[in-house]
Amino acid sequence: MIVDCAIYRDGHRTTGPEDLSDALAEARAAHGFVWIGLHEPSEEEFDHVTREFALHPLAVEDALNAHQRPKLEVYDDSLFVVLKPVAYEPKSDAVSTGEVMLFLGDSFVVTVRHGVGSPLGTVRQRLEQEPELLGKGPTAVLYAVADAVVDHYLDVATELQTDLEELETEVFSPDGGGSRHTASRIYTFKRQILEFRRATGPLALPLTRLADVGTFGGAVPFVNEKARPFFRDVSDHLTRVNESVEGLDRLVSDVLSAHLAQMSVRQNDDMRKISAWAAMAAIPTMIAGVYGMNFDHMPELHWTWSYPAVIALMAGLEVLLYRLFKRRGWL
């Protein structure tokens, strides 16, 4: 469905014709641009937009099907950019991703949103309060959306860092590290990091191209060259995010290894305790077994003090073994 449609002249929103073709013609005549926002459009709804703005069919297919990696593709009449906003759910400590697709032309911007957590509503409001920035044309919309998405990445990275610190505290606590649910929590957290990484990692190359830096830099059609410093700033923020995500991924792997090592040490301690108690139980069992064989000619069998002497011998050996295992830390 079409969420919003407006014509912008000199950075200010103006009313225009409802027909998309007339709106585009009016925007071009006034040296402005038309911005259309759609949310999870159907094929029929998007077909009209496709015809009016001559969007490439491959890009249209990606916009309709979603589930795309962040990317930038250049076509004859438009530029196609895919971003993946990330939302963090504090109650469930879960990371979820949406998708924002942008079609940029000489005098139009078409944004397509899938999922939740997309910043387009607030971005449009903020841009309309900054007419000088909005006056730069469609490039300003691309910059503002990318900047909002990447800035929210920083917030999510901070939340995940807090969650990881809580997880570390649980793992290295005297009792918490042995919980049967700890390993599953660590694995679930690692899955959240992976989901986050799928959104941030592939975006580095498109921003590098927009910023015109590095090996893959270069002029991008439909993007104002004066906007390169702004995209470099967004790219720097994304680099910080990717470094943070890498650090989180390494740390959670180390936490998992430490947890498994702790579990192995605890199991070894349990086995030593069991072995010590089994050794202590073997002494009276052996002595009682010898005297239970019912032979007639056994030492001290008919001696009056034989029973108390055997009990005393058993008790003495038990005390000796107990003190020995206790000194060695087995008990």
Side-chain angles (χ1 to χ4, degrees):
M1 59 177 293
I2 296 180
V3 178
D4 199 353
C5 177
I7 296 176
Y8 295 89
R9 299 187 184 94
D10 299 323
H12 296 280
R13 179 172 182 148
T14 61
T15 57
E18 295 183 0
D19 183 75
L20 296 182
S21 180
D22 294 340
L24 181 59
E26 183 176 329
R28 284 173 174 166
H31 302 289
F33 70 96
V34 58
W35 181 359
I36 299 175
L38 301 99
H39 178 238
E40 298 182 356
S42 64
E43 186 174 351
E44 293 76 12
E45 291 173 335
F46 204 53
D47 186 58
H48 180 55
V49 178
T50 301
R51 291 195 308 269
E52 294 297 338
F53 295 100
L55 304 180
H56 197 280
L58 292 177
V60 170
E61 182 181 356
D62 289 345
L64 288 173
N65 295 334
H67 304 294
Q68 304 296 317
R69 286 164 55 90
K71 61 182 179 179
L72 183 152
E73 295 181 352
V74 179
Y75 297 102
D76 294 335
D77 299 320
S78 62
L79 181 71
F80 181 58
V81 181
V82 179
L83 304 171
K84 292 184 75 71
V86 173
Y88 177 80
E89 299 293 338
K91 294 182 179 179
S92 59
D93 295 336
V95 171
S96 59
T97 58
E99 289 188 36
V100 174
M101 287 86 163
L102 296 96
F103 294 87
L104 269 73
D106 57 346
S107 300
F108 68 87
V109 178
V110 177
T111 55
V112 183
R113 179 167 60 92
H114 291 270
V116 297
S118 300
L120 297 186
T122 55
V123 167
R124 189 186 287 261
Q125 293 174 5
R126 181 167 62 86
L127 278 175
E128 290 178 354
Q129 294 174 1
E130 300 181 27
E132 184 177 353
L133 178 59
L134 193 56
K136 304 298 182 183
T139 303
V141 178
L142 176 59
Y143 159 71
V145 173
D147 185 55
V149 169
V150 173
D151 282 349
H152 194 59
Y153 287 166
L154 292 169
D155 297 335
V156 174
T158 302
E159 295 288 348
L160 290 175
Q161 181 66 44
T162 302
D163 287 347
L164 180 58
E165 291 172 358
E166 294 175 357
L167 196 58
E168 286 178 329
T169 301
E170 178 182 342
V171 168
F172 293 106
S173 65
D175 301 325
S179 171
R180 66 178 66 181
H181 301 296
T182 303
S184 77
R185 280 197 62 195
I186 297 173
Y187 180 74
T188 301
F189 187 81
K190 193 170 181 64
R191 290 291 300 270
Q192 304 301 323
I193 298 296
L194 178 61
E195 185 72 16
F196 192 24
R197 200 169 192 168
R198 287 173 179 167
T200 63
L203 185 57
L205 181 57
L207 285 180
T208 298
R209 293 181 62 188
L210 291 169
D212 192 17
V213 294
T215 306
F216 299 98
V220 179
F222 309 107
V223 175
N224 193 326
E225 292 184 1
K226 295 182 180 179
R228 290 175 183 174
F230 295 95
F231 286 111
R232 279 199 292 269
D233 181 66
V234 178
S235 181
D236 290 342
H237 290 176
L238 181 65
T239 300
R240 287 173 51 197
V241 171
N242 284 329
E243 289 174 351
S244 178
V245 172
E246 256 184 75
L248 288 172
D249 191 41
R250 288 196 301 269
L251 282 173
V252 75
S253 296
D254 293 342
V255 168
L256 179 59
S257 299
H259 173 67
L260 295 177
Q262 282 184 325
M263 293 297 293
S264 178
V265 170
R266 286 190 177 93
Q267 288 176 352
N268 289 337
D269 289 341
D270 293 340
M271 289 301 299
R272 286 193 302 178
K273 290 179 181 179
I274 294 172
S275 299
W277 286 111
M280 292 175 63
I283 297 297
T285 301
M286 180 186 68
I287 296 175
V290 169
Y291 279 90
M293 290 187 293
N294 297 322
F295 291 130
D296 290 334
H297 304 287
M298 293 183 67
E300 312 301 340
L301 185 64
H302 300 287
W303 183 38
T304 303
W305 298 98
S306 59
Y307 178 74
V310 170
I311 296 298
L313 176 63
M314 290 182 185
L317 291 175
E318 290 295 300
V319 171
L320 179 63
L321 286 176
Y322 180 82
R323 294 184 64 181
L324 178 63
F325 288 141
K326 192 72 173 178
R327 185 179 303 170
R328 294 186 177 182
W330 284 37
L331 291 174

